Structures are given as C-alpha cells and as structure tokens.
C-alpha cells in the first residue's frame, strides 16, 4: 500500500493560527507520528510525505508528486479555524463522489477510528472541491482536526499525547480500510491496532452538571494528572465524565487509579 501523506501548509504559509499555535507545526507533528506508527507496525506499507520539515510547497507540487508516484491513497492533515466559537473534527472527500464510492469507504472507516481517540465534537463527514481532493488521481481525503482558534480545542492541541492519539486514530483507520498486515512482535502500546483492543479508561468523576466536571478536571491537573471532560449517554441523559487516562493494558489503568485515590479522589475504570 502506497500512502501519500500531506501535512498541510508549511514554510512561508503558516496556515491557521490561534492560541499561540500554528497549523503548519501541528499538521507536521501529527503526520510524522502517523508515519512512524504505520511503518513500525505494518508490513508492506510505503509512505511518501509532501514535506518532513518546515518548507514551502504548492498544492500543485503535492498532487503532481502523488500522481507521478502512483500512490494508492492521499491523506491531507489540517487544523481548522473559524471565529473562535466553532469546535470539533470533520473530514472531506471530493464534492462529486457518492457515499458509496471507494473513497467514501476509506473516509468512513478513518472517521470512525479518529473519533474514538480525538476527544473532539463530531462535525460530520463532508464533501468539498479542494485542490488536493480534485486533482489527485487516487482515493483522497482531507481531515480537519479541531479549531485552532477555539480555546478548548487548542488546549488539546498543545498536548503531545493528543497529537499522538490523533495520529493513531488515522493509522487505525488506514490499516482497517487497506487491510494492512500487522508486523510480528510489535510494541502493543504503540501499535496502530490498539483501537481494536479493549481500552481501559480511568474515570475520576461523573456529573450531570458540566461545571462540576470542569472543576474536578482542574483539580486533577493541579495535582499533575492529565485529564479532560468527556460525555456519556446514560438512560437518555448526558453525563459529564472526567477522564484521566486510557490504556490497552488494564494494569496500567489500575496503577493510575491508585495514584488518583491516594489524593483522596475516587476513580473507576470503564472498558470499551
């Protein structure tokens, strides 16, 4: 499988900016992590990137390179911006393609896997007349991974662990959609197939009132525990949960539970 991986913008084009962040830096970091996950964990996958550093490259150069290389799939990684109030994840395929196309099948699988890990609102699967989608000869998708000018999304973007999870979500989707064969004896903690294993999530509190969840998340961060607020639908009602970690190895989750409880905060494990 030949993947052309395109971190959006670069060089003289910083892309979207906000909250002290630049799109070109985030997209490159995510793409490099994605390349590493796929190459380390799967057989017979060949990856070419439009850029591996902070260089300027036109859209025409990117699609021409992918087309001449005869890539099987084109993935363009981006970060969104709007007016500061919009937030969440969305992805695009070319505007003329149907939801039954092979490209849409790729997009559907990747979308599902990314949403499992990215902690963002789901803004849906969309179509657009973007150059990289229109001019690429192979199946192509563009993902918009949160809004850089939204304070909550940007707070996630600043976390290296979040960028790694976004990369892993894309890798999981590509692996499933392309039927990639895992390598033997891979490190399971870094494996892009982690999403098909059970994830043991450490939950430090569950509230009907969002403000209570926000306060507990702030308290945990003050105690140096990474945490964020997520939602769960229980009996038709929305509950706000404070998640402090997610592990494929249950023992790691149990270790974190003990650390949190040593601070006088109750916690429990949920398994997906």
């Amino acid at each position: 499988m030949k993947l052309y991986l395109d971190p959006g913008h670069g060089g003289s084009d910083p892309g979207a900016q906000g909250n002290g962040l630049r799109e070109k830096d985030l997209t490159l970091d995510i793409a490099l992590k994605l390349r590493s996950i796929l190459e380390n964990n799967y057989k017979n996958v060949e990856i070419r990137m439009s850029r591996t550093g902070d260089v300027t490259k036109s859209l025409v150069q990117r699609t021409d390179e992918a087309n001449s290389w005869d890539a099987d799939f084109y993935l363009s990684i981006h970060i969104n911006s709007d007016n500061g109030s919009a937030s969440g994840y969305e992805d695009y395929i070319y505007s003329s393609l149907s939801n039954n196309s092979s490209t849409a099948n790729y997009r559907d699988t990747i979308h599902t896997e990314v949403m499992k890990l990215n902690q963002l609102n789901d803004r849906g699967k969309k179509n657009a007349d973007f150059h990289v989608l229109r001019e690429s000869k192979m199946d192509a998708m563009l993902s918009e991974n949160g809004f850089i000018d939204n304070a909550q999304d940007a707070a996630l973007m600043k976390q290296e662990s979040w960028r790694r999870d976004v990369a892993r979500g894309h890798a999981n989707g590509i692996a499933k959609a392309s039927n990639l064969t895992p390598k033997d004896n891979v490190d399971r903690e870094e494996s892009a197939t982690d999403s098909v294993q059970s994830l043991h999530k450490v939950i430090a509190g569950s509230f009907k009132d969002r403000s209570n969840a926000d306060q507990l998340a702030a308290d945990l961060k003050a105690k140096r525990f990474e945490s964020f607020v997520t939602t769960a639908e229980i009996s038709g009602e929305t509950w706000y949960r404070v998640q402090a970690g997610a592990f494929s190895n249950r023992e790691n989750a149990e270790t974190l539970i003990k650390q949190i409880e040593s601070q006088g905060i109750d916690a429990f494990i949920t398994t997906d």
Side-chain angles (χ1 to χ4, degrees), residues 151-217:
Q152 187 172 355
D153 285 9
L156 290 173
M157 294 174 192
K158 292 177 181 179
Q159 299 176 21
E160 192 275 338
S161 59
W162 178 84
R163 299 192 299 274
R164 184 175 62 249
D165 283 344
V166 169
R168 185 177 288 115
H170 283 80
N172 290 340
I174 291 169
K176 281 190 173 184
S178 303
N179 294 314
L180 297 181
T181 302
K183 290 182 177 178
D184 297 328
N185 302 319
V186 298
D187 181 350
R188 297 306 307 170
E189 198 65 29
E190 288 299 321
S191 172
T193 60
D194 279 347
S195 71
V196 300
Q197 295 182 306
S198 295
L199 271 181
H200 306 290
K201 298 180 180 179
V202 176
I203 306 298
S206 187
F207 306 91
K208 286 187 177 180
D209 187 336
R210 172 68 187 248
S211 63
N212 291 334
D214 288 338
Q215 182 59 57
L216 179 56

Side-chain angles (χ1 to χ4, degrees), residues 63-203:
T63 51
D64 282 355
E65 188 172 88
N67 290 337
S68 63
W69 186 48
D70 197 24
D72 297 308
F73 187 61
Y74 189 115
L75 177 63
S76 190
I77 304 290
H78 284 260
I79 305 292
N80 229 329
S81 68
D82 190 15
N83 57 9
S85 60
S87 66
Y89 171 85
E90 61 194 22
D91 43 41
Y92 293 85
I93 60 175
Y94 184 46
S95 53
S96 67
L97 295 174
S98 76
N99 289 330
N100 296 320
S101 64
S102 62
T103 305
N105 290 334
Y106 259 106
R107 186 267 316 275
D108 292 348
T109 303
I110 295 171
H111 185 101
T112 297
E113 295 302 321
V114 171
M115 287 306 306
K116 289 179 181 179
L117 297 175
N118 69 2
Q119 307 168 39
L120 295 172
N121 299 324
D122 189 346
R123 292 174 56 88
K125 296 173 281 191
K126 303 180 179 182
N127 296 67
D129 186 24
F130 297 144
H131 173 93
V132 296
L133 304 179
R134 181 183 65 249
E135 300 301 327
S136 50
K137 295 179 181 178
M138 67 295 302
D139 293 320
M141 184 190 114
L142 183 148
S143 65
E144 292 277 8
N145 298 275
F147 283 74
I148 203 167
D149 55 353
N150 177 278
Q152 187 172 355
D153 285 9
L156 290 173
M157 294 174 192
K158 292 177 181 179
Q159 299 176 21
E160 192 275 338
S161 59
W162 178 84
R163 299 192 299 274
R164 184 175 62 249
D165 283 344
V166 169
R168 185 177 288 115
H170 283 80
N172 290 340
I174 291 169
K176 281 190 173 184
S178 303
N179 294 314
L180 297 181
T181 302
K183 290 182 177 178
D184 297 328
N185 302 319
V186 298
D187 181 350
R188 297 306 307 170
E189 198 65 29
E190 288 299 321
S191 172
T193 60
D194 279 347
S195 71
V196 300
Q197 295 182 306
S198 295
L199 271 181
H200 306 290
K201 298 180 180 179
V202 176
I203 306 298

Side-chain angles (χ1 to χ4, degrees), residues 255-271:
T255 297
L256 181 57
I257 287 280
K258 292 177 183 177
Q259 293 171 351
I260 292 173
E261 291 183 339
S262 72
Q263 300 295 318
I265 300 172
D266 291 331
F268 60 93
I269 296 173
T270 64
T271 302

Side-chain angles (χ1 to χ4, degrees), residues 42-61:
Y42 289 96
K43 300 177 180 178
N44 302 319
V45 57
E46 193 175 353
I47 300 171
R48 182 170 294 184
M49 294 180 61
S50 62
R51 62 185 183 95
T52 56
D54 188 20
V55 299
T56 303
K57 200 164 191 178
S58 71
L59 295 177
V60 172
Q61 286 176 306

